[in-house]
């Protein structure tokens, strides 16, 4: 099981995006979380292919693309072409979730499925063996800087139990409200990929990265 911090560039300073991505890379970050919002599945519009294509030239980091987009199947090939290594789609946004996951695989990317805090695990339990990662939203998708919803902790625990019982090596990624405090709660419950936007980019980036990576490292060696 790999434990990783996945900084979300949604909270980056877009005027200095390339520079901030280099800071990530210099500090040993391997996964970059890239939030695409369409103004339909979620109220905001963030950015899309041109931005991803241009930062792809800047780094060899793994691009973990989180599509908060209605009917994402329409765009999967395009996102892979512009540099996505992993694509996560929302169960709530897909008319045919199985086919969408197949499309991600056919395009050659890692496949992730995400659910909002109110969506039950039952909605995705039948396809756990078809995905590489489940992204559990721990805030309502659509905005950075929200507070971790503590009621999600049990869901993380339950999902890890389901995966263990089925003997599946599937990553659990958590997204929303992760900071120095909440990271411990999520790790302890069974998450192994931690997305953090404001927790990384607000304040001193290097010291935020150091503190959060230390927490991951400590947990990893304890859990080993
Ligand atoms: C929210 C996005 C998140 C966001 C997290 O819908 O999916 O990835 O960047 O931001 P923080 O870490 O600030 O809650
Ligand atoms: Zn995200």
């Amino acid at each position: 099981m790999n434990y990783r911090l996945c900084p979300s560039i949604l909270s980056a300073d877009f005027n200095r995006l390339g520079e901030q991505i280099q800071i990530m890379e210099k500090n040993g970050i391997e996964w970059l979380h890239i939030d695409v919002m369409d103004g339909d599945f979620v109220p905001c519009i963030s950015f899309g292919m041109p931005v991803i294509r241009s930062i792809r030239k800047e780094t060899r980091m793994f691009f973990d693309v989180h599509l908060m987009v209605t009917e994402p199947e329409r765009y999967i090939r395009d996102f892979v072409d512009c540099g996505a290594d992993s694509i996560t789609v929302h169960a709530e946004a897909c008319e045919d979730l199985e086919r969408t996951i197949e499309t991600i695989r056919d395009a050659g990317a890692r496949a992730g499925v995400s659910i909002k805090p109110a969506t039950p695990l039952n909605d995705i339990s039948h396809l756990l063996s078809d995905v590489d990662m489940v992204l559990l939203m721990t805030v309502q998708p659509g905005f950075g800087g929200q507070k971790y919803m503590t009621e999600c902790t049990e869901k993380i625990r339950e999902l890890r139990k389901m995966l263990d019982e089925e003997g599946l090596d599937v990553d659990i990624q958590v997204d929303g409200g992760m900071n120095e405090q909440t990271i411990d709660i999520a790790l302890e419950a069974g998450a192994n990929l931690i997305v953090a936007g404001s927790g990384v980019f607000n304040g001193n980036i290097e010291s935020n990265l150091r503190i959060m990576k230390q927490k991951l490292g400590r947990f990893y060696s304890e859990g080993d």
Side-chain angles (χ1 to χ4, degrees), residues 8 10-11 33 35 37 66 68 137 139-146 175-178 195-199:
S8 161
L10 190 63
S11 293
H33 186 80
D35 289 299
M37 302 178 179
H66 176 193
M68 283 162 276
M137 287 305 306
V139 298
Q140 291 302 343
F143 305 93
Q146 302 178 75
D175 185 2
M178 284 292 126
V195 175
S198 46

PDB file of all heavy atoms in Angstrom, residues 8 10-11 33 35 37 66 68 137 139-146 175-178 195-199, ligand 1:
ATOM      1  N   SER A   8      -3.584  19.422  -4.222  1.00  0.00           N
ATOM      2  CA  SER A   8      -4.570  19.840  -5.222  1.00  0.00           C
ATOM      3  C   SER A   8      -4.242  21.248  -5.689  1.00  0.00           C
ATOM      4  O   SER A   8      -4.274  22.202  -4.897  1.00  0.00           O
ATOM      5  CB  SER A   8      -5.972  19.827  -4.615  1.00  0.00           C
ATOM      6  OG  SER A   8      -6.820  20.623  -5.412  1.00  0.00           O
ATOM      7  N   LEU A  10      -5.927  23.239  -7.199  1.00  0.00           N
ATOM      8  CA  LEU A  10      -7.054  24.180  -7.168  1.00  0.00           C
ATOM      9  C   LEU A  10      -6.741  25.374  -6.244  1.00  0.00           C
ATOM     10  O   LEU A  10      -7.208  26.483  -6.476  1.00  0.00           O
ATOM     11  CB  LEU A  10      -8.309  23.449  -6.670  1.00  0.00           C
ATOM     12  CG  LEU A  10      -9.628  24.173  -6.780  1.00  0.00           C
ATOM     13  CD1 LEU A  10      -9.982  24.447  -8.237  1.00  0.00           C
ATOM     14  CD2 LEU A  10     -10.752  23.359  -6.119  1.00  0.00           C
ATOM     15  N   SER A  11      -5.951  25.122  -5.201  1.00  0.00           N
ATOM     16  CA  SER A  11      -5.626  26.200  -4.260  1.00  0.00           C
ATOM     17  C   SER A  11      -4.302  26.883  -4.589  1.00  0.00           C
ATOM     18  O   SER A  11      -3.833  27.720  -3.811  1.00  0.00           O
ATOM     19  CB  SER A  11      -5.561  25.650  -2.832  1.00  0.00           C
ATOM     20  OG  SER A  11      -6.833  25.227  -2.417  1.00  0.00           O
ATOM     21  N   HIS A  33      -2.845  16.413  -7.716  1.00  0.00           N
ATOM     22  CA  HIS A  33      -4.295  16.254  -7.841  1.00  0.00           C
ATOM     23  C   HIS A  33      -4.839  17.448  -8.630  1.00  0.00           C
ATOM     24  O   HIS A  33      -4.600  18.603  -8.289  1.00  0.00           O
ATOM     25  CB  HIS A  33      -4.914  16.192  -6.448  1.00  0.00           C
ATOM     26  CG  HIS A  33      -6.380  15.900  -6.430  1.00  0.00           C
ATOM     27  ND1 HIS A  33      -6.892  14.634  -6.574  1.00  0.00           N
ATOM     28  CD2 HIS A  33      -7.455  16.717  -6.279  1.00  0.00           C
ATOM     29  CE1 HIS A  33      -8.215  14.674  -6.514  1.00  0.00           C
ATOM     30  NE2 HIS A  33      -8.585  15.933  -6.326  1.00  0.00           N
ATOM     31  N   ASP A  35      -8.171  19.198 -10.196  1.00  0.00           N
ATOM     32  CA  ASP A  35      -9.633  19.245 -10.085  1.00  0.00           C
ATOM     33  C   ASP A  35     -10.246  19.964 -11.275  1.00  0.00           C
ATOM     34  O   ASP A  35     -10.058  21.170 -11.440  1.00  0.00           O
ATOM     35  CB  ASP A  35     -10.027  20.010  -8.813  1.00  0.00           C
ATOM     36  CG  ASP A  35      -9.708  19.220  -7.563  1.00  0.00           C
ATOM     37  OD1 ASP A  35     -10.253  18.118  -7.403  1.00  0.00           O
ATOM     38  OD2 ASP A  35      -8.912  19.709  -6.740  1.00  0.00           O
ATOM     39  N   MET A  37     -13.702  21.181 -12.893  1.00  0.00           N
ATOM     40  CA  MET A  37     -15.106  21.433 -12.542  1.00  0.00           C
ATOM     41  C   MET A  37     -15.819  22.072 -13.728  1.00  0.00           C
ATOM     42  O   MET A  37     -15.277  22.993 -14.355  1.00  0.00           O
ATOM     43  CB  MET A  37     -15.183  22.392 -11.361  1.00  0.00           C
ATOM     44  CG  MET A  37     -14.461  21.899 -10.135  1.00  0.00           C
ATOM     45  SD  MET A  37     -14.584  23.123  -8.841  1.00  0.00           S
ATOM     46  CE  MET A  37     -13.691  22.303  -7.522  1.00  0.00           C
ATOM     47  N   HIS A  66      -9.228  14.627 -11.238  1.00  0.00           N
ATOM     48  CA  HIS A  66     -10.527  14.421 -10.582  1.00  0.00           C
ATOM     49  C   HIS A  66     -11.578  15.199 -11.373  1.00  0.00           C
ATOM     50  O   HIS A  66     -11.612  16.422 -11.331  1.00  0.00           O
ATOM     51  CB  HIS A  66     -10.413  14.931  -9.136  1.00  0.00           C
ATOM     52  CG  HIS A  66     -11.678  14.894  -8.344  1.00  0.00           C
ATOM     53  ND1 HIS A  66     -11.813  15.546  -7.131  1.00  0.00           N
ATOM     54  CD2 HIS A  66     -12.865  14.270  -8.566  1.00  0.00           C
ATOM     55  CE1 HIS A  66     -13.030  15.339  -6.663  1.00  0.00           C
ATOM     56  NE2 HIS A  66     -13.695  14.567  -7.513  1.00  0.00           N
ATOM     57  N   MET A  68     -14.992  16.563 -11.882  1.00  0.00           N
ATOM     58  CA  MET A  68     -16.305  16.908 -11.314  1.00  0.00           C
ATOM     59  C   MET A  68     -17.132  17.454 -12.477  1.00  0.00           C
ATOM     60  O   MET A  68     -17.345  18.661 -12.623  1.00  0.00           O
ATOM     61  CB  MET A  68     -16.125  17.926 -10.186  1.00  0.00           C
ATOM     62  CG  MET A  68     -15.617  17.270  -8.906  1.00  0.00           C
ATOM     63  SD  MET A  68     -14.921  18.443  -7.746  1.00  0.00           S
ATOM     64  CE  MET A  68     -13.268  18.563  -8.392  1.00  0.00           C
ATOM     65  N   MET A 137     -15.186  11.682  -1.102  1.00  0.00           N
ATOM     66  CA  MET A 137     -15.238  13.123  -0.829  1.00  0.00           C
ATOM     67  C   MET A 137     -15.551  13.302   0.653  1.00  0.00           C
ATOM     68  O   MET A 137     -16.479  12.705   1.171  1.00  0.00           O
ATOM     69  CB  MET A 137     -16.328  13.803  -1.663  1.00  0.00           C
ATOM     70  CG  MET A 137     -16.028  13.949  -3.144  1.00  0.00           C
ATOM     71  SD  MET A 137     -14.484  14.804  -3.564  1.00  0.00           S
ATOM     72  CE  MET A 137     -14.618  16.357  -2.679  1.00  0.00           C
ATOM     73  N   VAL A 139     -15.870  16.490   1.836  1.00  0.00           N
ATOM     74  CA  VAL A 139     -16.635  17.757   1.844  1.00  0.00           C
ATOM     75  C   VAL A 139     -17.554  17.658   0.622  1.00  0.00           C
ATOM     76  O   VAL A 139     -17.386  16.761  -0.199  1.00  0.00           O
ATOM     77  CB  VAL A 139     -15.730  19.017   1.674  1.00  0.00           C
ATOM     78  CG1 VAL A 139     -14.742  19.165   2.820  1.00  0.00           C
ATOM     79  CG2 VAL A 139     -14.984  19.001   0.327  1.00  0.00           C
ATOM     80  N   GLN A 140     -18.469  18.607   0.479  1.00  0.00           N
ATOM     81  CA  GLN A 140     -19.263  18.647  -0.758  1.00  0.00           C
ATOM     82  C   GLN A 140     -18.330  19.065  -1.892  1.00  0.00           C
ATOM     83  O   GLN A 140     -17.626  20.070  -1.754  1.00  0.00           O
ATOM     84  CB  GLN A 140     -20.395  19.687  -0.654  1.00  0.00           C
ATOM     85  CG  GLN A 140     -21.487  19.334   0.312  1.00  0.00           C
ATOM     86  CD  GLN A 140     -22.161  18.001   0.004  1.00  0.00           C
ATOM     87  OE1 GLN A 140     -22.050  17.452  -1.095  1.00  0.00           O
ATOM     88  NE2 GLN A 140     -22.836  17.455   0.986  1.00  0.00           N
ATOM     89  N   PRO A 141     -18.289  18.309  -2.987  1.00  0.00           N
ATOM     90  CA  PRO A 141     -17.367  18.707  -4.047  1.00  0.00           C
ATOM     91  C   PRO A 141     -17.719  20.073  -4.621  1.00  0.00           C
ATOM     92  O   PRO A 141     -18.877  20.470  -4.620  1.00  0.00           O
ATOM     93  CB  PRO A 141     -17.542  17.606  -5.103  1.00  0.00           C
ATOM     94  CG  PRO A 141     -18.829  16.942  -4.802  1.00  0.00           C
ATOM     95  CD  PRO A 141     -19.068  17.116  -3.327  1.00  0.00           C
ATOM     96  N   GLY A 142     -16.708  20.776  -5.072  1.00  0.00           N
ATOM     97  CA  GLY A 142     -16.971  22.049  -5.743  1.00  0.00           C
ATOM     98  C   GLY A 142     -16.142  23.219  -5.259  1.00  0.00           C
ATOM     99  O   GLY A 142     -15.944  24.173  -5.999  1.00  0.00           O
ATOM    100  N   PHE A 143     -15.650  23.155  -4.036  1.00  0.00           N
ATOM    101  CA  PHE A 143     -14.898  24.296  -3.494  1.00  0.00           C
ATOM    102  C   PHE A 143     -13.741  23.796  -2.634  1.00  0.00           C
ATOM    103  O   PHE A 143     -13.896  22.801  -1.919  1.00  0.00           O
ATOM    104  CB  PHE A 143     -15.781  25.158  -2.596  1.00  0.00           C
ATOM    105  CG  PHE A 143     -17.035  25.637  -3.264  1.00  0.00           C
ATOM    106  CD1 PHE A 143     -18.214  24.910  -3.155  1.00  0.00           C
ATOM    107  CD2 PHE A 143     -17.034  26.808  -4.009  1.00  0.00           C
ATOM    108  CE1 PHE A 143     -19.381  25.335  -3.772  1.00  0.00           C
ATOM    109  CE2 PHE A 143     -18.200  27.241  -4.637  1.00  0.00           C
ATOM    110  CZ  PHE A 143     -19.377  26.510  -4.521  1.00  0.00           C
ATOM    111  N   GLY A 144     -12.643  24.517  -2.685  1.00  0.00           N
ATOM    112  CA  GLY A 144     -11.552  24.251  -1.748  1.00  0.00           C
ATOM    113  C   GLY A 144     -11.846  24.955  -0.429  1.00  0.00           C
ATOM    114  O   GLY A 144     -12.779  25.756  -0.335  1.00  0.00           O
ATOM    115  N   GLY A 145     -11.071  24.632   0.575  1.00  0.00           N
ATOM    116  CA  GLY A 145     -11.116  25.375   1.834  1.00  0.00           C
ATOM    117  C   GLY A 145     -12.294  25.074   2.742  1.00  0.00           C
ATOM    118  O   GLY A 145     -12.567  25.843   3.667  1.00  0.00           O
ATOM    119  N   GLN A 146     -13.003  23.962   2.521  1.00  0.00           N
ATOM    120  CA  GLN A 146     -14.120  23.627   3.423  1.00  0.00           C
ATOM    121  C   GLN A 146     -13.620  22.757   4.581  1.00  0.00           C
ATOM    122  O   GLN A 146     -12.513  22.246   4.560  1.00  0.00           O
ATOM    123  CB  GLN A 146     -15.199  22.847   2.662  1.00  0.00           C
ATOM    124  CG  GLN A 146     -15.779  23.569   1.465  1.00  0.00           C
ATOM    125  CD  GLN A 146     -16.800  22.683   0.744  1.00  0.00           C
ATOM    126  OE1 GLN A 146     -17.916  22.493   1.210  1.00  0.00           O
ATOM    127  NE2 GLN A 146     -16.401  22.139  -0.392  1.00  0.00           N
ATOM    128  N   ASP A 175     -10.591  13.454   0.038  1.00  0.00           N
ATOM    129  CA  ASP A 175     -10.473  14.766  -0.585  1.00  0.00           C
ATOM    130  C   ASP A 175     -11.434  15.743   0.083  1.00  0.00           C
ATOM    131  O   ASP A 175     -12.649  15.571   0.016  1.00  0.00           O
ATOM    132  CB  ASP A 175     -10.808  14.604  -2.081  1.00  0.00           C
ATOM    133  CG  ASP A 175     -10.601  15.878  -2.890  1.00  0.00           C
ATOM    134  OD1 ASP A 175     -10.158  16.888  -2.312  1.00  0.00           O
ATOM    135  OD2 ASP A 175     -10.892  15.849  -4.098  1.00  0.00           O
ATOM    136  N   GLY A 176     -10.851  16.751   0.717  1.00  0.00           N
ATOM    137  CA  GLY A 176     -11.657  17.813   1.311  1.00  0.00           C
ATOM    138  C   GLY A 176     -11.362  18.015   2.783  1.00  0.00           C
ATOM    139  O   GLY A 176     -11.535  17.096   3.587  1.00  0.00           O
ATOM    140  N   GLY A 177     -10.849  19.211   3.101  1.00  0.00           N
ATOM    141  CA  GLY A 177     -10.634  19.577   4.500  1.00  0.00           C
ATOM    142  C   GLY A 177      -9.470  18.868   5.165  1.00  0.00           C
ATOM    143  O   GLY A 177      -9.410  18.789   6.394  1.00  0.00           O
ATOM    144  N   MET A 178      -8.516  18.380   4.344  1.00  0.00           N
ATOM    145  CA  MET A 178      -7.368  17.683   4.949  1.00  0.00           C
ATOM    146  C   MET A 178      -6.319  18.696   5.402  1.00  0.00           C
ATOM    147  O   MET A 178      -5.883  19.536   4.618  1.00  0.00           O
ATOM    148  CB  MET A 178      -6.734  16.720   3.931  1.00  0.00           C
ATOM    149  CG  MET A 178      -7.521  15.461   3.726  1.00  0.00           C
ATOM    150  SD  MET A 178      -7.477  14.440   5.224  1.00  0.00           S
ATOM    151  CE  MET A 178      -9.209  14.208   5.474  1.00  0.00           C
ATOM    152  N   VAL A 195      -5.568  13.964  -0.366  1.00  0.00           N
ATOM    153  CA  VAL A 195      -5.591  15.181  -1.191  1.00  0.00           C
ATOM    154  C   VAL A 195      -5.615  16.379  -0.242  1.00  0.00           C
ATOM    155  O   VAL A 195      -6.345  16.373   0.741  1.00  0.00           O
ATOM    156  CB  VAL A 195      -6.849  15.218  -2.085  1.00  0.00           C
ATOM    157  CG1 VAL A 195      -6.939  16.548  -2.846  1.00  0.00           C
ATOM    158  CG2 VAL A 195      -6.850  14.051  -3.066  1.00  0.00           C
ATOM    159  N   ALA A 196      -4.820  17.383  -0.552  1.00  0.00           N
ATOM    160  CA  ALA A 196      -4.889  18.610   0.239  1.00  0.00           C
ATOM    161  C   ALA A 196      -4.644  19.810  -0.661  1.00  0.00           C
ATOM    162  O   ALA A 196      -3.653  19.849  -1.401  1.00  0.00           O
ATOM    163  CB  ALA A 196      -3.868  18.580   1.375  1.00  0.00           C
ATOM    164  N   GLY A 197      -5.579  20.757  -0.623  1.00  0.00           N
ATOM    165  CA  GLY A 197      -5.461  21.972  -1.407  1.00  0.00           C
ATOM    166  C   GLY A 197      -5.015  23.116  -0.520  1.00  0.00           C
ATOM    167  O   GLY A 197      -3.822  23.447  -0.452  1.00  0.00           O
ATOM    168  N   SER A 198      -5.970  23.693   0.221  1.00  0.00           N
ATOM    169  CA  SER A 198      -5.608  24.827   1.076  1.00  0.00           C
ATOM    170  C   SER A 198      -4.601  24.418   2.151  1.00  0.00           C
ATOM    171  O   SER A 198      -3.751  25.214   2.545  1.00  0.00           O
ATOM    172  CB  SER A 198      -6.860  25.443   1.706  1.00  0.00           C
ATOM    173  OG  SER A 198      -7.699  24.441   2.215  1.00  0.00           O
ATOM    174  N   GLY A 199      -4.664  23.174   2.594  1.00  0.00           N
ATOM    175  CA  GLY A 199      -3.727  22.676   3.616  1.00  0.00           C
ATOM    176  C   GLY A 199      -2.282  22.702   3.128  1.00  0.00           C
ATOM    177  O   GLY A 199      -1.349  22.750   3.933  1.00  0.00           O
TER     178      GLY A 199
HETATM  179  C1  LIG B   1     -13.102  20.026  -3.976  1.00  0.00           C
HETATM  180  C2  LIG B   1     -11.907  19.428  -4.668  1.00  0.00           C
HETATM  181  C3  LIG B   1     -10.716  19.302  -3.805  1.00  0.00           C
HETATM  182  C4  LIG B   1     -10.207  20.601  -3.238  1.00  0.00           C
HETATM  183  C5  LIG B   1      -9.830  20.303  -1.834  1.00  0.00           C
HETATM  184  O1  LIG B   1     -14.257  19.733  -4.615  1.00  0.00           O
HETATM  185  O2  LIG B   1     -12.190  18.122  -5.156  1.00  0.00           O
HETATM  186  O3  LIG B   1      -9.665  18.554  -4.399  1.00  0.00           O
HETATM  187  O4  LIG B   1      -9.119  21.145  -3.916  1.00  0.00           O
HETATM  188  O5  LIG B   1      -9.529  21.478  -1.198  1.00  0.00           O
HETATM  189  P1  LIG B   1      -9.184  21.550   0.351  1.00  0.00           P
HETATM  190  O6  LIG B   1      -8.033  20.611   0.595  1.00  0.00           O
HETATM  191  O7  LIG B   1      -8.848  22.984   0.547  1.00  0.00           O
HETATM  192  O8  LIG B   1     -10.432  21.111   1.096  1.00  0.00           O
END
